[in-house]
Amino acid sequence: MSKKINFAIVGCGRIGNRHAEHINNQGNLIAVCDIVEENASAVAEKYHAKKYTSIEKLLKNEKEVDVVAICTPNGLHAEQTIAALRAGFHVVCEKPMAINVHDCGKMIQEAEWANKRLFIVKQNRYNPPIEAVRELIHSGKLGQIYSVQLNCFWNRNPEYYNDSNWKGTKKLDGGNHFTQYSNFVDLLYFLIGDVKEVQAFTSNFHHQKEMEFEDTGVVVVKFHNNALGTINYTVNSFDKNMEGSLTIFSEKGTVKVGGQYLNELEYQSFDGFEITNLPKGNPPNQYGKYTGSMSNHDKVYKNVIDVLQNGGIITTNGFEGLKTVEIIEKIYDSINN
């Protein structure tokens, strides 16, 4: 029986707590770090881990750690991932991988130089309807993909932004596609392929006091395989999240994955077959007054352990994390141009 893998977490906020729970179930959480000492203390005490308020000290002192999980604000992912790789650790990096393609490339390069694994969290890939649709596309049962519509209609109230000093900032948040919708954009790449052209229109209607960027957008994309797509997104859904949905029109069928979190098979019409007996997915992350995306971090860590102990295949590697950021950059470049 293989010994459990030792983990450290950098960033003990809401998502860091989610990581701690699943690490504790599948490995050993032996160290945590947060610049807010009370956050680090809370997680350290709950899981009997060592506490740090400096990532530099953690990386220097924790020689028994195998994997460092980066759960900090978006704009810190690149520098902290690179520091952990250089210190000799494998890294699990929360989404988004970084907030520009250049930094993603540096992260991949550092992982290669250090001969360490770099895992990027894209937990929506594990939603049962998404896995089923991916298999249909991969097997060729849908034929040519004609078009795709992605809808992301969520609610993010002022409290969501006011309870932190980074959400809504260009420097550490980056934009709604990085914080709110990078998992959705990843699914476009995962299911349909790489994006060739983008045209976007955005506005900030309701969050001028909380955000330095858009709260609503409409995006038109053309994929390299000539499929067309649209992304409609907002954080202005009144009072609560409304919908996260993805509809695909293809040569041999139409399918819509919906619900609030791409967790329900809402519509299917195929040429001679159907999707049946889908397993029940995990519930979404609950964060008090608002709800996040699907809570599949247990599967993320199962994959990490499988890769490191059994030579398994990384579910989302650094290159795929980069491709998501590249598509988001194209969206924002289209706005700025």
Side-chain angles (χ1 to χ4, degrees):
M1 183 177 179
S2 301
K3 76 176 186 69
K4 286 189 174 182
I5 293 174
N6 294 329
F7 291 86
I9 291 176
V10 179
C12 296
R14 292 188 179 99
I15 199 63
N17 274 267
R18 182 69 61 184
H19 280 251
E21 175 187 347
H22 294 297
I23 288 171
N24 185 61
N25 290 337
Q26 301 187 51
N28 295 320
L29 180 59
I30 65 174
V32 301
C33 175
D34 198 293
I35 59 172
V36 179
E37 186 170 5
E38 63 185 69
N39 291 350
S41 295
V43 178
E45 290 172 8
K46 183 175 182 178
Y47 297 103
H48 308 290
K50 298 178 186 177
K51 178 189 72 175
Y52 292 88
T53 55
S54 162
I55 184 176
E56 291 80 11
K57 290 183 178 179
L58 184 152
L59 297 178
K60 180 180 179 181
N61 295 334
E62 291 301 325
K63 304 303 181 183
E64 295 184 3
V65 168
D66 301 301
V67 183
V68 175
I70 303 298
C71 304
T72 51
N74 306 341
L76 301 176
H77 288 179
E79 64 180 82
Q80 293 178 340
T81 293
I82 290 170
L85 291 167
R86 287 179 177 175
F89 303 104
H90 304 289
V91 172
V92 175
C93 181
E94 254 297 341
K95 61 83 183 171
M97 182 176 178
I99 56 175
N100 62 73
V101 170
H102 176 72
D103 282 351
C104 293
K106 289 169 62 178
M107 294 162 74
I108 294 170
Q109 188 177 59
E110 290 290 346
E112 293 296 321
W113 285 345
N115 196 27
K116 293 297 177 180
R117 297 286 195 167
L118 174 58
F119 303 83
I120 311 300
V121 176
K122 297 292 183 184
Q123 74 270 18
N124 280 7
R125 291 187 175 198
Y126 294 104
N127 291 358
I130 294 298
E131 291 184 318
V133 172
R134 165 68 172 172
E135 177 56 32
L136 291 180
I137 294 173
H138 187 68
S139 67
K141 287 186 176 181
L142 293 188
Q144 182 183 352
I145 303 299
Y146 295 147
S147 65
V148 57
Q149 295 179 346
L150 178 64
N151 293 329
C152 314
F153 304 145
W154 281 12
N155 171 274
R156 291 294 180 263
N157 56 34
E159 289 82 1
Y160 169 84
Y161 298 96
N162 294 335
D163 72 354
S164 76
N165 61 0
W166 68 272
K167 292 173 185 172
T169 68
K170 288 185 178 180
K171 182 178 180 180
L172 292 180
D173 185 325
N176 268 312
H177 275 291
F178 288 114
T179 300
Q180 309 302 335
Y181 305 127
S182 65
N183 280 325
F184 291 79
V185 174
D186 170 68
L187 293 181
L188 289 181
Y189 175 74
F190 183 57
L191 295 174
I192 311 302
D194 208 352
V195 169
K196 182 178 181 180
E197 298 177 50
V198 173
Q199 182 64 57
F201 300 92
T202 66
S203 186
N204 187 346
F205 291 107
H206 188 64
H207 291 81
Q208 292 91 347
K209 295 180 180 179
E210 294 87 26
M211 297 195 310
E212 298 174 351
F213 41 74
E214 86 289 356
D215 66 9
T216 301
V218 178
V219 183
V220 179
V221 301
K222 183 174 183 179
F223 296 85
H224 278 281
N225 61 11
N226 291 321
L228 301 178
T230 58
I231 307 171
N232 292 281
Y233 67 100
T234 185
V235 292
N236 293 331
S237 177
F238 187 77
D239 189 48
K240 60 184 178 181
N241 290 354
M242 174 186 168
E243 174 183 331
S245 69
L246 189 150
T247 305
I248 297 173
F249 298 93
S250 73
E251 179 184 3
K252 298 181 180 179
T254 300
V255 60
K256 180 181 181 181
V257 179
Q260 292 186 42
Y261 317 103
L262 294 173
N263 58 322
E264 298 176 12
L265 183 63
E266 289 194 350
Y267 179 88
Q268 60 174 319
S269 179
F270 300 120
D271 184 9
F273 59 92
E274 66 177 8
I275 299 171
T276 58
N277 301 318
L278 283 179
K280 185 177 181 180
N282 287 333
N285 290 315
Q286 297 294 334
Y287 298 126
K289 292 186 178 180
Y290 77 100
T291 306
S293 56
M294 298 305 295
S295 178
N296 290 324
H297 286 79
D298 57 330
K299 297 179 176 64
V300 171
Y301 279 101
K302 182 178 179 181
N303 178 247
V304 170
I305 292 168
D306 180 52
V307 169
L308 297 181
Q309 290 188 337
N310 306 316
I313 299 172
I314 296 178
T315 302
T316 310
N317 57 40
F319 174 77
E320 292 180 299
L322 179 149
K323 296 306 292 186
T324 300
V325 173
E326 184 178 70
I327 294 170
I328 294 172
E329 268 200 351
K330 286 182 178 180
I331 292 171
Y332 287 137
D333 285 347
S334 170
I335 299 166
N336 295 328
N337 291 335

